[in-house]
Amino acid sequence: MSVKTQGSELFIADTLSSSVAAVLKMACPTGITGLGGPADQIDTTCLDNTEDRSFVRGLGNPGQVSVPFVLKPWETSHQVLFDLKEAGDTLSMMICLSDGSDPPTLDSNDALAAPADRTSFGFSGYIADVNLDIATNEVVRGTLTIQRSGAVTPYWNGPTP
C-alpha cells in the first residue's frame, strides 16, 4: 500500500495572528521537499594513521523545507506567511499525509500534536523566505522556505494495510 500525495497538508502553529494560538492550514501547496539534513562529521583520525580517515557522527544539520504554492491572496494562511516571516519566530509545523483526514491539534505549549489516524511529520522552524514568481501566461506562484530547527519527528499513525 502506498500513500498518495493528493490530500497531504502542511500545518503551522500560528502564535502571531491573535492572542490565542491556532492551527493554520497552508492553502494550496504544490509540493514539500527538504525534510532531511546530514549530520556533521567529527574527524577522529590519529596522526599515525596511514590509510583512510576515521569519523564519528556529530550533530545533525537541519535543512530547509521548500514548499511551492499557488498564491491565493484572499487566503488567511498566505497573508499570515508574510507576517510570520517578519516576526522570525520558531514555530511548530507538521506535514500530515493523505492516509487520514484529521488535522493536528495544539498541546498546552502551543505545539502541534499529531492526529491519531494519520501519518505525520512534526518539526520546528522559522519562515526564512516567502518568494513570489510572476510570469507570462501563468498563475502567481510562490515558494515558502522554512529553516528547520531540530529533528523531524515521525508519527506512524496511519492505517495499516
Side-chain angles (χ1 to χ4, degrees), residues 16 80-89 126-130:
L16 185 67
V80 169
L81 290 179
F82 292 90
D83 296 334
L84 292 173
K85 177 189 176 224
E86 290 305 313
D89 295 341
Y126 64 88
I127 296 178
D129 196 14
V130 181

Side-chain angles (χ1 to χ4, degrees), residues 17 71-84:
S17 296
L71 180 66
K72 303 210 180 262
W74 56 88
E75 288 284 349
T76 302
S77 67
H78 289 185
Q79 295 169 7
V80 169
L81 290 179
F82 292 90
D83 296 334
L84 292 173

Side-chain angles (χ1 to χ4, degrees), residues 22-87:
V23 176
L24 181 69
K25 177 185 162 197
M26 167 106 183
C28 205
T30 60
I32 302 172
T33 60
L35 286 180
D40 285 335
Q41 298 175 332
I42 299 173
D43 191 334
T44 59
T45 308
C46 296
L47 187 59
D48 62 352
N49 191 350
T50 59
E51 305 244 341
D52 290 338
R53 290 175 167 221
S54 58
F55 295 91
V56 296
R57 184 186 191 282
L59 295 174
N61 281 311
Q64 290 188 328
V65 176
S66 181
V67 184
F69 62 95
V70 174
L71 180 66
K72 303 210 180 262
W74 56 88
E75 288 284 349
T76 302
S77 67
H78 289 185
Q79 295 169 7
V80 169
L81 290 179
F82 292 90
D83 296 334
L84 292 173
K85 177 189 176 224
E86 290 305 313

Side-chain angles (χ1 to χ4, degrees), residues 1-153:
M1 179 177 145
S2 298
V3 179
K4 289 185 176 186
T5 58
Q6 299 91 331
S8 296
E9 299 168 307
L10 172 64
F11 296 92
I12 300 170
D14 177 9
T15 57
L16 185 67
S17 296
S18 73
S19 60
V20 178
V23 176
L24 181 69
K25 177 185 162 197
M26 167 106 183
C28 205
T30 60
I32 302 172
T33 60
L35 286 180
D40 285 335
Q41 298 175 332
I42 299 173
D43 191 334
T44 59
T45 308
C46 296
L47 187 59
D48 62 352
N49 191 350
T50 59
E51 305 244 341
D52 290 338
R53 290 175 167 221
S54 58
F55 295 91
V56 296
R57 184 186 191 282
L59 295 174
N61 281 311
Q64 290 188 328
V65 176
S66 181
V67 184
F69 62 95
V70 174
L71 180 66
K72 303 210 180 262
W74 56 88
E75 288 284 349
T76 302
S77 67
H78 289 185
Q79 295 169 7
V80 169
L81 290 179
F82 292 90
D83 296 334
L84 292 173
K85 177 189 176 224
E86 290 305 313
D89 295 341
T90 299
L91 305 166
S92 175
M93 302 186 192
M94 187 167 288
I95 299 165
C96 297
L97 301 184
S98 66
D99 57 358
S101 58
D102 289 342
T105 55
L106 288 171
D107 67 15
S108 60
N109 296 318
D110 293 337
L112 294 173
D117 75 336
R118 195 171 189 184
T119 304
S120 304
F121 299 90
F123 59 96
S124 294
Y126 64 88
I127 296 178
D129 196 14
V130 181
N131 186 40
L132 297 179
D133 296 314
I134 304 166
T136 303
N137 200 31
E138 178 60 285
V139 297
V140 177
R141 296 183 182 274
T143 303
L144 169 65
T145 304
I146 301 164
Q147 176 58 58
R148 279 190 22 245
S149 179
V152 173
T153 303

